[in-house]
Amino acid sequence: ALQRSILEAAGYHVVTAVDGQDALHRIEEEGDVALVITDVEMPVMDGLALTAAIRSSQKDHSIPIIIVTTRDTEEDRRRGLEVGADAYLTKRGFSQQTLLEAVERLIGR
């Protein structure tokens, strides 16, 4: 909810999903997704599995992905980047500015 309000205040159109499976479905339905922001910890399909599924998709493999999570060990960060995340932000060091800078860097707005 925090990321949504930050992005909407910056003028982005935001679509939310209840879990990774729902997110994958919405990406396929929407057809014009510029960026995915996910947590690692979600029911049904976690953020790492979601990232891997997007990367293996023929149509959607190049969508930029940002993981925002409480998991902040080097091992967690490495796993996130290994499955294909473009940015890995931790909630401990999270700020509105950090999120917007990552979004702008990835979608060039």
Side-chain angles (χ1 to χ4, degrees):
L2 175 61
Q3 291 98 348
R4 179 183 187 151
S5 58
I6 291 169
L7 294 169
E8 286 179 341
Y12 293 99
H13 170 71
V14 178
V15 176
T16 59
V18 295
D19 57 43
Q21 191 73 52
D22 184 38
L24 204 53
H25 178 71
R26 289 177 184 258
I27 290 166
E28 291 166 3
E29 293 284 309
E30 291 284 321
D32 187 24
V33 175
L35 175 81
V36 170
I37 298 175
T38 184
D39 195 341
V40 171
E41 297 174 41
M42 294 187 294
V44 185
M45 174 187 276
D46 72 17
L48 297 175
L50 171 62
T51 300
I54 292 169
R55 289 295 173 248
S56 67
S57 163
Q58 205 160 8
K59 182 172 72 80
D60 300 315
H61 68 276
S62 63
I63 295 173
I65 301 169
I66 299 174
I67 294 177
V68 179
T69 184
T70 55
R71 295 185 176 195
D72 60 359
T73 68
E74 271 309 307
E75 173 67 15
D76 290 323
R77 180 179 303 275
R78 185 185 60 72
R79 284 181 50 226
L81 297 174
E82 270 180 6
V83 295
D86 295 287
Y88 191 98
L89 307 178
T90 59
K91 290 181 180 176
R92 187 179 349 165
F94 182 81
S95 74
Q96 178 174 332
Q97 188 64 33
T98 305
L99 177 64
L100 291 174
E101 284 173 2
V103 169
E104 289 165 12
R105 175 175 59 84
L106 292 169
I107 64 174
R109 182 167 159 197

